[in-house]
Amino acid sequence: MHMLHDPADPAAAPIAFDDFLKVDIRAGRIIRVDAFPEARKPAFKLTIDFGPGIGIKRSSAQVCGLYTPEALDGRMVAAVVNFPPRQIGKFMSEVLTLGFPDTAGNVVLFAPDSDVPLGARLF
């Protein structure tokens, strides 16, 4: 959630459908939220359960503007699960939790509007 774009920007260049299929976006449930005081921008360390196929993964998420740890715990989210892990300070972020910027630039998490099985893949 580091690439913020202007909503007025035109769509990105066309890609092949096969390229879209390479991005593995799965549904998960946040099972733990930890403070991340050493992050350069305010963030939480999220522990997310993606079910038996993917397992439990961790993510750094800059969602402090709109969410408290209590509001995040148990919440469903969507994340890219097949990017290489990324070192953020001393923390290894294993998945990219997805969201959209609101008009103030706060991240609004992207999630299914009702429960789906953990690990369900976006198509």
Side-chain angles (χ1 to χ4, degrees), residues 10-23:
I15 62 170
F17 187 68
D18 284 349
D19 290 332
F20 169 72
L21 293 177
K22 293 175 187 175
V23 181

Side-chain angles (χ1 to χ4, degrees), residues 13 34 75 118:
D34 294 299
R75 180 186 176 91
L118 297 180

Side-chain angles (χ1 to χ4, degrees), residues 40-54:
R40 267 182 311 195
K41 294 183 180 178
F44 292 123
K45 297 175 186 176
L46 305 179
T47 303
I48 306 168
D49 184 357
F50 291 97
I54 305 292

Side-chain angles (χ1 to χ4, degrees), residues 2-38:
H2 305 286
M3 296 182 270
L4 297 179
H5 299 280
D6 185 327
D9 286 347
I15 62 170
F17 187 68
D18 284 349
D19 290 332
F20 169 72
L21 293 177
K22 293 175 187 175
V23 181
D24 192 353
I25 299 171
R26 303 287 184 115
R29 185 175 306 283
I30 298 170
I31 58 172
R32 181 174 170 162
V33 181
D34 294 299
F36 194 0
E38 61 273 26

Side-chain angles (χ1 to χ4, degrees), residues 46-64:
L46 305 179
T47 303
I48 306 168
D49 184 357
F50 291 97
I54 305 292
I56 294 173
K57 301 290 182 183
R58 299 182 74 199
S59 180
S60 169
Q62 296 174 5
V63 295
C64 300

